[in-house]
Amino acid sequence: MESQCPSRPNPTPSSTSRPGPLSSFARFVVCGGGVGLLSGAAVPMLAGAMPWAVANALVTIAGTLLCTELHALFTFGTGRRPGWRRHAQSSGSAVAAYLATTAAMLVLHAVRPAPGMVWEQTVYLTASGLAGIARFLVLRVFVFAERTQRKGPVRRMAAAPPVDGLLPVTRHGERALSATVNSPCVPAC
């Protein structure tokens, strides 16, 4: 009679069902665009009760936190909520995108003192699109990339063959059962 191995835990959803780059990008646009639309509606409502700059700052912070949660769980399929490190990294990429769009608008106004709405929208939307693509790449490659945690070399203990019919001795001086030592169910150290 063969002994049955206890079932091993299934792989985590993040390792088996991470979306590909195109799917991730589509999800990034949907999440970011959805939160952007909500933010656009929330700022004027809050601005009635406080200065516009404060309302914009609060909505931007809340939107960035919400987007980071959505990107971790939905866009990049990590299978777990982001920690403070990922929130900080995501916020950093949002600040960089904000600075890029602001710089583009400042350059436009330096080159054309009265550019008109069509030029402003063209430059702003182009800068926003490029900043969004750059932010997607930063989030996918650095912030939400799947990493393996290694703290040193991986060592696997090999089963020693029985010597003269004796079972191998463990480092604690106990005799190991050959069925246990050679079993595929015993995880490697």
Side-chain angles (χ1 to χ4, degrees):
M1 200 190 281
E2 287 186 37
S3 65
Q4 295 287 326
C5 291
S7 63
R8 290 186 180 191
N10 291 333
T12 60
S14 64
S15 65
T16 58
S17 65
R18 289 182 62 96
L22 293 178
S23 178
S24 289
F25 186 72
R27 293 174 182 199
F28 179 81
V29 170
V30 168
C31 290
V35 170
L37 290 174
L38 289 173
S39 297
V43 170
M45 291 185 345
L46 284 176
M50 61 186 68
W52 187 90
V54 174
N56 188 33
L58 291 175
V59 169
T60 299
I61 291 168
T64 301
L65 292 172
L66 176 60
C67 273
T68 302
E69 294 285 334
L70 291 173
H71 291 326
L73 298 172
F74 179 67
T75 302
F76 300 109
T78 63
R80 61 186 177 277
R81 295 184 62 197
W84 288 111
R85 179 184 63 81
R86 283 187 168 158
H87 273 291
Q89 290 172 330
S90 179
S91 296
S93 70
V95 167
Y98 169 79
L99 293 174
T101 55
T102 301
M105 293 306 289
L106 291 173
V107 168
L108 171 66
H109 284 276
V111 172
R112 289 189 153 208
M117 187 181 290
V118 172
W119 273 104
E120 284 182 338
Q121 287 298 306
T122 301
V123 169
Y124 179 75
L125 292 175
T126 301
S128 291
L130 293 173
I133 291 169
R135 186 162 188 256
F136 169 78
L137 292 172
V138 166
L139 293 176
R140 180 162 175 87
V141 174
F142 298 107
V143 178
F144 295 108
E146 190 172 300
R147 291 180 175 83
T148 56
Q149 302 269 338
R150 290 189 65 184
K151 295 186 180 184
V154 176
R155 294 183 185 179
R156 298 198 182 269
M157 292 181 59
V163 179
D164 294 65
L166 298 176
L167 296 173
V169 177
T170 64
R171 67 178 166 183
H172 299 292
E174 302 165 349
R175 297 277 177 195
L177 298 174
S178 62
T180 303
V181 170
N182 297 323
S183 170
C185 297
V186 176
C189 295

